Structure formats: structure tokens, C-alpha cells
DNA sequence: GATGTAGACAAGTATAATACAAGTGCGTGA
DNA sequence: TCACGCACTTGTATTATACTTGTCTACATC
């Protein structure tokens, strides 16, 4: 039986990748081609095979590295998943579904401390595939200069023109509503990650409230705990309080 | 595998920062560049990486210093669910469902780097109500002294007799499997939070892999991002009353 | 047609070396 | 005491070199 060289190489690399950690850099294509004594084209075909399997990714001028599962969000900076997508060479697209100034629902009014708010609902896509339904509320006096096009082209937190300090984020699981399911192209009631984020400015005032809905099969959060308290139990988890108001 | 200099330097500095206190001043960029024998540009890229992670900040003309009210403190200091329960005077109950030495499935073998593992599956309850299905794998040579009763009475990490350092935790949503649904007393395919935690010892080797499945309606994560203001939701203890409804 | 080799070029990244602007801390000298 | 200058710091350029992936062409082999 004839063996096909680039498939051999692909399975050898598959084995190495299995043992390596996330984001580990592979040797360069020319190193690999001299190691396996084949041309660069053959190496590339092997690597493209692995890319197709989702095992590796590459950036021009940088190299090939081990992929980290589905879309992973690092909790740890104000940066959003959109920045992380751009860093990985995926061009995020924002499609604005709703853009309106309105009276704040009670929960929003309570958090932001104002009655008049701008509410923006967006669908975020990565390489054309929807991966998040995002609803953002911000006080009307901060949002009155924003246009629909603004929020389509830039992440929200760069548009406000004020310095932000931090955020508190809650992460929960839920079943997809009919609306969200249609937008995300998943079945109704399939599992989703539902996150709420309250962003504050340097004075500690809440200036943004946002809700993100991610389809479960495409996203997960990842938290590095360099010197965590020893435990196998996930930290930061709490039980939901029944009196917390329902839907924002 | 290739390595990139500024990433190496970043992780070396991460380690130093972990050991240093708050607001400690780092050596100047030129000191660091002569210490690591690289150019200032490379040092800056490493530092910018750490800034993005919220570990350090800088002021022009002053220097780089370890960030103030940092994320790590919060993430590291967050209480686990079990602590929360104990603080409330509720005695958490652990029911061991399975306890067996076996061959590691591929994923587990890859993470722990060994074929023979101890697998323990537990159901955690609070006041008789199940709130988590936990599966823990650890290398057989570390677990061979443990008995079934040990893991029923004490948290896993106290039993190993080795010093642990940190962890990486991923958080995702999923639909409940038939098994998990039965154990958690929810419907099949209802949403659950599925968390995986890889715990490492002081040498950085992975020694525990654990998977936790929580029913979505009773649990959510709260994460304080860098410099977050003391905000609406306390990240400490917040417990459930009996009749729970989905929040958010 | 699928597979492979060899090579060339464009575009992006990593790193070094250097220069200069601008902010900070501190001592000196009037 | 206070203003000034000096040493040192980060912030921001520019230039240059080596290396990496992305893409293309031409050609050989089975």
C-alpha cells in the first residue's frame, strides 16, 4: 500500500501536538521540511490538514501554533473576545440589529442609575459565523453622540470617550430563547452561555451594562489561576439568589 | 518547538511578580534589557503583554510596578462553593459514586501525562439537594494510598500530600446528559455549566484534572476584572434560598 | 489528476540599535 | 524655601536585518 507523505507527516505532527500545551509554537515550515526531508509545500499540506481539523492555527510572519479548542475567552483584561479574535487573525463582524434610545427597564435603571438609556442589540460574527448576541445599555447622556455606524465599526468601550476602570462579569448557562436561537443558528433550548457585564469608569460609576449570549458549542471561558487556593472546586462560583430580578 | 523571546521573558516576569507584593517597582527597562541581554523593544513587548493581563502598570518617567487591586487577589481569593456552604452553616455532603483505578482516556492521559489513573466520581449535595456532579482524575501513583472513605470525607487536594500551585479553569455551557440529569434531578438536555480544572503542583506539572457539572438554574460565576470597583454584586458569599429561579 | 520538488516574491513578525520627546525624583545652589 | 538642572525613567519614532507564513509559477513523477 502506498503511503502518502504529507499524511504521514500530519499524523506524526498530530502526535506531537497532543503532547504539547495550548498556544505552543511549532517549528517553522522550513525547519520541518529539513527535518522530514521534504519540500515546504508538503509540510504545508500536512499543516493545512491539521488546521482543517482545528488542531493548529497560523499567523503570517509568526508561525504555526497549537489551537486552544473552540473560541476561548481569557478572563483577565477589559479586552473583549473581539480583540482576541483579531489577534488570531479572524476578522470580527458586528451587525447592529437594534439601536434605540428608550426608558430603562428596572434592572438596567438600577445598575446604571438613570432612566434614559441607549440600547443597542448586535449580532457578532467571526468569519461569517454568528457567535454572540450582545445587548448593551448605556446612559443616554453618554451615548447621544453615537451613531448606528459607530457601534457597528468599533467595540463599544472605545466609543464612550471616557476612561474605564474595571468590570464585574457573571457567567451562567441557559437554554437558548427562540430569538437568540434563530440569530445564532442553533436549536431552540440548546445550551448557551449567558454573561452579564457591568463596566465602571474611574470614579466607580457603572457606565455600561451588557448581556452576551454565546452558543455553547463555540465558546468557553478560560481563567488562569497562577496561585489559586488549592482546591479542585472552581472558584468564583456562587449559587444564584432567587430574589435577583429576572431578565434584564 | 520554537520559543519567542518576549514570551519567555513575560513568563519569567510573571513568576517574579507573583512573588512580589503590590505596588512593587520593577527594574527599569534598560536594567531588564541588560539582564536578559535583549533590546529594550523586546522588554517592552513582554511588559505590554503583562499590562494587558492586568498584572503591571506604568507611568512615564516613573517606571513599571505591580498592579494595585489586582485580579489575582480576587480570583485567587474567591471562595469556593463549599466554603460558602460551610460559612452558612450548611454542611456539604459528598456522596462517592465511583472510585476506581483504570486506564486513562486519551484526553486525561494527555493532560496528566500518565496512563494509569484514579478516577473518582462524586455527587455533591447541600442540605440534601444535589448541586454538582464532580469527576476527578489523578495519577495512580499519587492516588494509590487513598481509600473511598478518604475522598468522601475530605476535599481531594488535602489528601495528596503534595504542594499545589495553580490552576487553569475553563467554563462552558452544555446540555445535561442523561446520567448527570438524573443525578442533579433536572431534565435531560437542560442547560448545565461544565467546568474543567487542571491543577498543577509547584513544578508546574498537572496533577489533578477535574470536571464539574452544575445545574444552570442554581449556579453562576462572578468574576471581578482588573481594578474593578467594589460593585453591585459582591464576589463573596451569596447563597441561595430554597426556591430558586434563574437570575439575569 | 494527485502528489511532490524547487524556487521566487510579497507581506507580516521578531529583534536590535539608535535617537529623541516628555515625565519623575532629587539634590544643589541661590 | 524654591527654582533649576541633572540623572533617570517611560513613550514613541525610525532604520535595518533576519526569519516566517502566504501565494504563485514551473516542472517532475506516479
Amino acid at each position: 500500500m502506498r503511503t502518502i507523505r504529507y499524511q504521514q507527516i500530519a499524523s506524526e505532527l498530530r502526535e506531537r501536538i497532543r503532547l504539547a500545551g495550548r498556544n505552543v509554537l511549532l517549528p517553522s515550515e522550513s525547519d520541518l521540511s529539513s527535518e522530514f526531508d521534504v519540500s515546504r509545500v508538503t509540510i504545508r499540506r500536512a499543516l493545512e490538514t491539521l488546521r482543517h481539523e482545528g488542531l493548529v492555527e497560523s499567523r503570517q510572519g509568526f508561525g504555526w501554533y497549537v489551537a486552544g479548542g473552540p473560541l476561548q475567552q481569557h478572563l483577565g483584561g477589559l479586552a473583549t473576545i473581539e480583540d482576541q479574535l483579531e489577534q488570531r487573525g479572524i476578522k470580527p463582524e458586528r451587525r447592529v440589529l437594534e439601536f434605540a434610545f428608550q426608558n430603562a427597564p428596572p434592572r438596567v435603571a438600577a445598575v446604571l442609575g438613570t432612566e434614559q438609556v441607549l440600547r443597542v442589540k448586535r449580532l457578532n460574527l467571526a468569519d461569517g459565523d454568528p457567535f454572540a448576541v450582545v445587548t448593551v445599555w448605556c446612559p443616554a447622556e453618554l451615548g447621544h453622540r453615537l451613531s448606528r455606524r459607530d457601534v457597528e465599526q468599533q467595540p463599544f468601550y472605545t466609543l464612550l470617550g471616557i476612561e474605564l476602570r474595571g468590570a464585574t462579569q457573571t457567567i451562567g448557562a441557559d437554554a437558548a430563547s427562540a430569538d437568540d436561537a434563530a440569530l445564532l443558528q442553533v436549536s431552540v433550548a440548546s445550551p448557551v452561555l449567558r454573561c452579564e457585564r457591568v463596566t465602571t469608569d474611574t470614579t466607580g460609576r457603572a457606565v455600561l451594562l451588557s448581556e452576551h449570549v454565546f452558543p455553547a458549542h463555540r465558546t468557553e471561558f478560560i481563567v488562569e489561576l497562577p496561585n489559586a487556593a488549592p482546591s479542585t472546586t472552581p472558584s468564583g462560583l456562587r449559587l444564584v439568589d432567587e430574589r435577583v430580578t429576572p431578565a434584564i
Side-chain angles (χ1 to χ4, degrees), chain A:
Chain A
M1 209 182 107
R2 196 162 82 97
T3 63
I4 294 173
R5 199 79 180 91
Y6 78 84
Q7 288 179 353
Q8 281 183 339
I9 295 173
S11 51
E12 164 66 24
L13 292 178
R14 239 190 302 270
E15 189 59 22
R16 291 194 199 171
I17 286 163
R18 199 177 63 79
L19 300 173
R22 269 194 308 270
N23 296 326
V24 169
L25 264 178
L26 272 58
S28 72
E29 293 177 0
S30 39
D31 283 359
L32 287 172
S33 67
S34 47
E35 175 188 340
F36 287 100
D37 200 32
V38 296
S39 79
R40 218 188 114 205
V41 180
T42 307
I43 291 293
R44 277 186 72 80
R45 297 199 60 172
L47 288 169
E48 292 293 350
T49 307
L50 299 183
R51 189 215 299 276
H52 203 256
E53 294 167 12
L55 292 176
V56 294
E57 299 170 10
S58 68
R59 266 179 24 231
Q60 181 176 163
F62 183 82
W64 292 83
Y65 48 94
V66 181
L71 297 175
Q72 292 190 329
Q73 314 196 32
H74 280 270
L75 295 169
L78 265 188
T80 60
I81 190 171
E82 289 160 358
D83 297 316
Q84 295 171 33
L85 288 175
E86 294 209 49
Q87 260 184 320
R88 288 167 67 161
I90 302 171
K91 198 176 169 196
E93 181 189 344
R94 282 176 277 271
R95 196 171 294 164
V96 175
L97 306 173
E98 298 172 24
F99 182 98
F101 291 87
Q102 56 181 218
N103 285 322
R107 160 114 178 93
V108 177
V111 171
L112 295 180
T114 177
E115 286 298 330
Q116 285 298 310
V117 294
L118 167 63
R119 173 167 178 272
V120 178
K121 186 171 178 179
R122 287 188 322 209
L123 179 65
N124 287 11
L125 304 95
D127 281 346
D129 296 321
F131 77 90
V133 175
V134 182
T135 311
V136 182
W137 293 263
C138 91
E141 76 262 22
L142 286 173
H144 73 278
R145 277 165 307 154
L146 301 183
S147 73
R148 201 179 168 110
R149 183 165 25 246
D150 289 335
V151 297
E152 202 151 50
Q153 293 180 337
Q154 283 187 62
F156 218 101
Y157 66 96
T158 64
L159 291 167
L160 289 185
I162 56 175
E163 202 179 341
L164 302 175
R165 186 167 79 175
T168 300
Q169 183 163 330
T170 65
I171 306 170
D174 199 357
S177 70
D179 278 357
D180 292 340
L183 290 169
L184 296 172
Q185 298 173 14
V186 297
S187 327
V188 174
S190 65
V192 294
L193 277 171
R194 184 180 296 274
C195 309
E196 184 189 271
R197 187 165 175 153
V198 179
T199 307
T200 55
D201 66 9
T202 49
T203 69
R205 187 177 59 129
V207 291
L208 282 179
L209 174 64
S210 53
E211 185 201 51
H212 301 244
V213 179
F214 303 97
H217 67 287
R218 294 203 65 187
T219 33
E220 61 188 14
F221 284 89
I222 178 165
V223 190
E224 304 279 348
L225 305 160
N227 47 1
S231 164
T232 61
T233 309
S235 54
L237 192 66
R238 65 159 193 164
L239 299 182
V240 174
D241 189 326
E242 72 161 316
R243 312 242 178 247
V244 171
T245 14
I248 319 180

